[in-house]
Structure formats: structure tokens, C-alpha cells
Amino acid sequence: MTPYVLLGIAIASEVFAEAMMKLSNGFENKKPIIGIIAGYLVAFYLMAQTLNDLPLGFVYAVWTGAGVALTALIGAAFWHEGFNAKKALGIVAIIAGVVLLKLGV
């Protein structure tokens, strides 16, 4: 698999873990904790694999930026946390930052 595909799966795994964290209700619900642990284990393992082929700064920027953007979208879609122009602009700024990092590689 290409490092970009692995990075995409790592991002999805991280976002899954974060969604499970929300479902755990402050760790009061125990079942989602399994998803948190599994999601982060997969995310960190795959992120480490991408570092064999891609620069650390770029990988971390994409991983965190996409994670923040997707988590905000999931929060808005599933937990009605709201989504407005300021949040959309923030996501655009994250994407722009990642593109600039990639152009600098």
C-alpha cells in the first residue's frame, strides 16, 4: 500500500477513536474504550509506517489537520455541535496549511 493510503487509514482510525471517546461519556461507558484503544493503536502504527517514506512534518500536519477537520464534521453531523462559517474557514485554513507544507517538501 502507498504511504498516502496508510496515512488515510491512520487518520480514519484516529477519528474513529475520538468518536468512541465521545461515546464513552467521560469513560463512564466502558464498551467504547475498546474502540478508543484499537483506533489509536492502528492510527499510531500506520502513521509510523508512513514515516518510512514521507517527511515527519508533512505526515504530522496531514494527520492532525485532517483529524481536526473530520472530527469537527463528525461532531456537527452526529452530535449536532454546530457548524458555521467560522468553523468552515478554520478547516479551509488547515487544508491550506497542509498544502503549503507539501509544496515545501
Side-chain angles (χ1 to χ4, degrees), residues 14-93:
E14 179 207 9
V15 172
F16 171 78
E18 291 165 359
M20 292 296 102
M21 197 176 302
K22 176 75 171 178
L23 289 176
S24 78
N25 194 30
F27 293 112
E28 289 183 17
N29 298 332
K30 303 300 182 206
K31 290 180 183 176
I33 294 173
I34 296 167
I36 295 168
I37 293 168
Y40 279 121
L41 283 174
V42 170
F44 282 116
Y45 174 79
L46 292 178
M47 184 178 163
Q49 298 307 305
T50 65
L51 294 173
N52 290 325
D53 299 305
L54 299 172
L56 174 63
F58 172 72
V59 169
Y60 189 67
V62 171
W63 187 57
T64 57
V68 167
L70 290 172
T71 301
L73 293 173
I74 286 174
F78 292 101
W79 288 286
H80 310 292
E81 294 179 351
F83 194 83
N84 56 31
K86 288 180 183 178
K87 285 187 178 182
L89 183 60
I91 290 172
V92 169

